[in-house]
Amino acid sequence: DSGVTQTPKHLITATGQRVTLRCSPRSGDLSVYWYQQSLDQGLQFLIQYYNGEERAKGNILERFSAQQFPDLHSELNLSSLELGDSALYFCASSVGPGGSLSNQPQHFGDGTRLSIL
Amino acid sequence: EDQVTQSPEALRLQEGESSSLNCSYTVSGLRGLFWYRQDPGKGPEFLFTLYSAGEEKEKERLKATLTKKESFLHITAPKPEDSATYLCAVRRVQGGSEKLVFGKGTKLTVNP
């Protein structure tokens, strides 16, 4: 058990809808990272938050947004869903903000499987 | 462009048959190479971090090594419970933030 909790485990919805994925980081971790994993692309970094502030952006679509709350949990919002958004969405957490001063690995939750019908 | 390539894509071994997985990378601003294990329906589980060429890390039947352009994950006398997808990732640091760039993984199957 990594200590990172993601809910829900599975989500089935239709095209055009909006969903919210939730992540609680490990106790003491201030950074949260979101990744998308599809069969053909592998794990792709989406966005990072550190202590409530956006820290880094990856290949995140404009239809997607995230935030980190004062209690450090994070939510990933996906809107105007398309069939191609079907994937596993992982959250990871680490102690520090990342960057050259950080020697801590990222620890991953077990993901949310999103299926768009 | 940052790239991480893992080979082979899939590997079948008999129990006790040692082998190696490869991870080659091109990235600027490398600040660590990571190995993760992923079981079906689960998130990646952290195994090792390597920072500099020549570094080696060991854990049970696994040993990870690093050169300037690639890393190897050596599996000695594997058991069926070692079956999983092994992911390699490089940490790229830019402007005080970091991101992990992952390879697509090697799916290892160990038959009893």
Side-chain angles (χ1 to χ4, degrees), chain B residues 67-83:
Chain B
T67 72
K68 286 186 178 178
K69 292 185 179 180
E70 58 190 350
S71 176
F72 293 93
L73 185 65
H74 307 277
I75 304 177
T76 302
K79 298 182 177 182
E81 53 262 43
D82 294 322
S83 297

Side-chain angles (χ1 to χ4, degrees), chain A residues 35-54:
Chain A
Y35 292 83
Q36 180 190 60
Q37 186 177 43
S38 57
L39 282 174
D40 56 342
Q41 291 293 322
L43 268 165
Q44 299 283 316
F45 169 70
L46 296 178
I47 196 164
Q48 177 203 357
Y49 277 80
Y50 172 72
N51 206 20
E53 303 272 337
E54 183 184 303

Side-chain angles (χ1 to χ4, degrees), chain A residues 16-74:
Chain A
Q17 295 299 305
R18 173 189 169 94
V19 296
T20 297
L21 313 183
R22 182 187 170 103
C23 169
S24 294
R26 293 189 322 162
S27 177
D29 285 358
L30 298 179
S31 272
V32 169
Y33 308 79
W34 286 98
Y35 292 83
Q36 180 190 60
Q37 186 177 43
S38 57
L39 282 174
D40 56 342
Q41 291 293 322
L43 268 165
Q44 299 283 316
F45 169 70
L46 296 178
I47 196 164
Q48 177 203 357
Y49 277 80
Y50 172 72
N51 206 20
E53 303 272 337
E54 183 184 303
R55 188 80 177 185
K57 256 185 175 179
N59 304 322
I60 188 166
L61 299 173
E62 286 190 11
R63 300 183 286 108
F64 296 0
S65 65
Q67 53 185 328
Q68 187 179 26
F69 295 86
D71 67 353
L72 301 177
H73 90 272
S74 178

